Amino acid sequence: MGLREAVGRFVFDGAVVGLGGQNIGRCAMATVHEIIRQGKRDLTLVGCNLSISMDLLVGADLVRRCEGGSGNLERFGSTFCWRRKVQSGEIEMEDFSHLGMVSRFLAGEMGLPFMPTKSLLGSDILVHKAPSTVKKYEIIENPWNPGEAVVLLPALNPDVSIIHVQKSDSMGNVIIGGFTTHEPEMVRASRNTIVTCEEIIESRQIRSDPERTTLPHIYISAVVHQPWGAHPTSTYRYYDFDAEHLRFYQECARAGGEQVKAYLDRFVFGSESFQDYLEKVGGKERLLQLEKAMKRLCASKGENP
Amino acid sequence: MGLREAVGRFVFDGAVVGLGGQNIGRCAMATVHEIIRQGKRDLTLVGCNLSISMDLLVGADLVRRCEGGSGNLERFGSTFCWRRKVQSGEIEMEDFSHLGMVSRFLAGEMGLPFMPTKSLLGSDILVHKAPSTVKKYEIIENPWNPGEAVVLLPALNPDVSIIHVQKSDSMGNVIIGGFTTHEPEMVRASRNTIVTCEEIIESRQIRSDPERTTLPHIYISAVVHQPWGAHPTSTYRYYDFDAEHLRFYQECARAGGEQVKAYLDRFVFGSESFQDYLEKVGGKERLLQLEKAMKRLCASKGENP
Amino acid sequence: MTVGLTRSEHGSYDLDELMIIEAARHIRNGDVVMVGTGLPMVATTLAMKTHAPELVAVIESGPIDPIIMQTPISVSDPRAMHEAARLGSLREVLGCVLQRGLVDIGFIGGAQIDQFGNINSTVIGDYRSPKVRLPGSGGANDIACHARRLLIIVSHEKRRFPLKCDYVTSPGYLNGPGARQRAGLKVLTPTITVVTNLVVMETDAETGLFCVTKLMPGVDLDAVYGNTGFRPGVASTLEEVAPPSDRDLETLREEVDPDGVYVKRGKSH
Amino acid sequence: MTVGLTRSEHGSYDLDELMIIEAARHIRNGDVVMVGTGLPMVATTLAMKTHAPELVAVIESGPIDPIIMQTPISVSDPRAMHEAARLGSLREVLGCVLQRGLVDIGFIGGAQIDQFGNINSTVIGDYRSPKVRLPGSGGANDIACHARRLLIIVSHEKRRFPLKCDYVTSPGYLNGPGARQRAGLKVLTPTITVVTNLVVMETDAETGLFCVTKLMPGVDLDAVYGNTGFRPGVASTLEEVAPPSDRDLETLREEVDPDGVYVKRGKSH
């Protein structure tokens, strides 16, 4: 299945979309581009740290609501499209903490209606909620320690999650390298998951070392081979983030309006595929620099390839 | 730290002891022998499937209570010492399901007071409880679906867990091969954990492939190099279970009384260390057969070593 | 080798063999199958090697989608782990697959099965002072709560089929229609199928009671009634269990259980 | 290289450098340190390379005990992952380490810090129609709830220290003594330490209010009062922040932040 077909089949208007990656690492950018090209709208985006993948979808006016722990690109600044539209009230943001969000995915993956947490207590995260939220949380008393408050958070089961990973076989047995953030819980909680990957490996390789598999195929709806699919964010052991392009995107996003439109026109709508986009951001030469930068980082630490 | 010191330091009379392994795989038998030699008593044993490690401790009269999902050795039969003493009321058993138990460890490892589950509802597991249990569970209504019952189970944080694994470095960065059962949750929930392992590997090896680490050192109190430490149960990729010795143990356990005492005298009290025991059960020759049996199984499937 | 078996020749296979083969038929290709050891593993392995090569076995100790070559004797047997797609944890299997609602069919067993498909694997007699203490739930309660279809393979003996279990370890329809919903269970009307050496019985989703749907060759309803502690209903379309194919018998005897550890053999073998 | 610094020579280092160095001193060898990026990562890396080689850093995206060679710019930066003891998940770090109660010291930051050590990183102005929407909690709320000690490194500006936060993202002592317990938090009296370029302030466990414990060289209390929106108490043993050692300054400048990305340099460099 190609990315076009996968997005066509599993992402729909109004869907709750789980975003993999975090900050400047392993955001599923190729799939985000395809969602924008297909104009899937009224999306609710969920994740822990919502980063450039979220901001681009918000910039393309496809988002109604976000639920997450944070929106930012750390040292590269805010997620500016998101910030602007939250400030203007054009989109709503439902705030949790990162542990709160992963707890909600944990409930979702375990088939439970809610998950307790001891975070959030006493904070304004429990005081305020987004306009369309019906019931953000419940506080109950710990039955084993009367008088002690415990927060319950509702399970979150995305309609579809999108993640970019290092390796998968064609069945969808996925290997994530480096940090996995909230992805294992989010994916197992999702009704469908679209995976893009740097490499398709043989199932034989998966089955000869099954402890290594991060997510088995039963959770995966589509696997698409898309090298560099996280650009301009990094993929651990494959390539570093592209600071230059990130800065360029941030300039556009901060300016907003025409500049965001121009970015989208040039890089997303103006590209037939993610391959086209990669050519536009510098092609082979630029990509090899990013690859080298990562290899250098890994080699200097004597890491396995 | 040797096993003698580790058990002396972390296992105490009245302790709640988490048992790793399951059925005929990776039971921490070397540590169990040492606990018996040191006569730590009034133990509460917890785990999912409680198997020969539990039965031997019960046979040695060191156990007051068990909490688990099952007591048996599958095709090798019941855990006979346990069965006899539960029937006579000499020890108490608090019954949960396996998911119930791992949910309790999950609460424990997450620093939560309880964990919801949708198992157990309607069953007699919620009707009956062991005499000394104060509050086995609570049923609440799902705040997001009024009228729907959800079970809450109390967190379980063992005083000390004992596991036998394939590899660890000397800091306690542990690699478990094959199934991990309830061990990740149980160990992370425990105040202390004693690890015995087939191989001590270099920390460099751990740190060059950190996705492989099952449990990082922050959860581990003591690591002891003890090859064959799970005998007569199996250690995946190292040696198969010893059906002959298991059958012999089961005969003694089924007979009870003098025969259990004789087993303990000969194999546990009569051994200075687990090395002595290994000599008694057949020494190098027997062990190499078990190793060969496992290698044959792995090789036939083209597995990585 | 057994060739051209017909109804009248069923002496050439044993009903214990047909019981396994009939159970295996309930597994559909592509099903996610929650399986323990013993006869369920034999039936699952047989299905995998015959009509359901794409079934996904999940085993509670952690293996997801292993390729089972030879029947393992334990859920912690290395034989249950080979060439898995993932070797994980009990939480992943019982939590993120089973309780998550992804299991199509789960096997359970027990010492007592009552008219509502409730199962006891905990105690015979009183819980506090049991006559016989049995192993307990293991994952059985979880499977009975969360799998959409339940499959029980058991030798047909009267004491195994009491009107009411001494202790309900694993919920069937509890005390009747609507009881699962009232209890809070998520799967409201599981299909519970018992395959014995006499009969195939299935719970009726409306009454929660067992109905005989098929009889083993040569077995009549009286034999079932005489060996069952409750009176099961009878399906309007009562059938006879189809005899085993050559391939089923051969695969069972030569690949799945070559040493005859689990299944009694028919005479012709 | 800077040699033989004394109080009067503190022009040869910058107070921004001393702020980092002083913060690093609060990390003890062996501490489990929950750290994000930016200045906290700089201070942690410095501590690791000087007096606390056995500190165990945990980073919310999944790394446990990485060896940090060069300051990473993001929690998802590969530079935050190298030679970790374990590369895991957010749940493992925020759930099984932090909420589990294993973190000795956690860093947080925010746009506003009030007199009770509450922190705002969510909005300036009204939540529903914010003047400025900030990133939100991230893991900060979790850290503030569960770490035994909290460390905040921040440039001292009056607007950062209001009497009351516009929005409490991360709980300090909330509205005063006992409030954390009433709210249900598990850590009742965390030590909250703010290190700025003017001052070190620490919450008093009895009142929940900040007290000045140390002043930066050349800074007096009036400078603190003038730049703080609330009036902190003063510790009975008010000290001056010790000047940096040669080793601290060298390590910071040459190994931790060699490109001067994070920390302003003193003149002598």
Side-chain angles (χ1 to χ4, degrees), chain C residues 94-238:
Chain C
L94 294 184
C96 305
V97 182
L98 179 62
Q99 188 172 243
R100 171 79 175 80
L102 300 180
V103 167
D104 295 300
I105 188 162
F107 283 93
I108 38 176
Q112 295 179 329
I113 301 143
D114 72 18
Q115 60 175 343
F116 287 116
N118 303 305
I119 292 190
N120 174 15
S121 57
T122 303
V123 282
I124 301 297
D126 181 58
Y127 183 74
R128 283 288 177 98
S129 51
K131 202 172 138 215
V132 186
R133 171 67 213 208
L134 304 167
S137 161
N141 174 279
D142 309 309
I143 295 168
C145 289
H146 303 300
R148 282 185 284 280
R149 288 182 282 141
L150 296 169
L151 200 47
I152 303 160
I153 309 174
V154 68
S155 271
H156 210 116
E157 298 168 63
K158 191 160 190 168
R159 65 185 176 91
R160 284 191 183 270
F161 292 101
L163 188 64
K164 197 171 181 315
C165 288
D166 290 0
Y167 179 104
V168 176
T169 311
S170 305
Y173 280 76
L174 296 168
N175 58 2
R180 284 181 70 102
Q181 181 161 24
R182 284 192 297 277
L185 291 168
K186 295 202 289 181
V187 177
L188 301 185
T189 53
T191 304
I192 308 177
T193 306
V194 177
V195 182
T196 77
N197 49 338
L198 298 185
V199 75
V200 179
M201 300 192 292
E202 212 159 88
T203 47
D204 179 306
E206 306 242 316
T207 63
L209 293 164
F210 274 120
C211 267
V212 175
T213 56
K214 293 182 191 178
L215 292 168
M216 282 285 174
V219 174
D220 61 20
L221 277 171
D222 283 342
V224 175
Y225 295 152
N227 287 287
T228 307
F230 53 86
R231 181 139 181 145
V234 179
S236 53
T237 57
L238 183 63

Side-chain angles (χ1 to χ4, degrees), chain B residues 106 108-112 157 171 173 185 188-191 206-207 210-219, chain D residues 32 56 58 64-67 81-88 91-92 94-97 99-102 186:
Chain B
L106 177 62
E109 72 165 346
M110 297 272 294
L112 296 169
N157 294 93
M171 287 183 82
N173 290 303
E185 290 78 15
R188 290 189 293 232
S190 297
R191 288 176 190 88
I206 292 283
R207 289 182 185 273
E211 291 97 330
R212 174 79 73 186
T213 314
T214 313
L215 292 162
H217 61 84
I218 55 175
Y219 300 106
Chain D
V32 176
V56 175
V58 296
I64 294 174
D65 198 15
I67 291 169
M81 287 185 257
H82 279 308
E83 295 194 26
R86 160 84 182 144
L87 287 172
R91 183 183 84 82
E92 285 176 53
L94 293 185
C96 305
V97 181
Q99 188 173 245
R100 172 77 176 79
L102 300 181
K186 295 201 290 182

Side-chain angles (χ1 to χ4, degrees), chain C residues 20 23-24 27 33-36 38-52 55-58 68 105 107 151 153 256:
Chain C
I20 297 296
I27 299 175
V33 184
M34 177 86 217
V35 61
L39 297 184
M41 185 60 95
V42 175
T44 303
T45 308
L46 177 63
M48 189 183 275
K49 286 173 185 288
T50 55
H51 66 281
L55 77 82
V56 175
V58 296
I68 298 157
I105 188 162
F107 283 93
L151 200 47
I153 309 174
V256 177

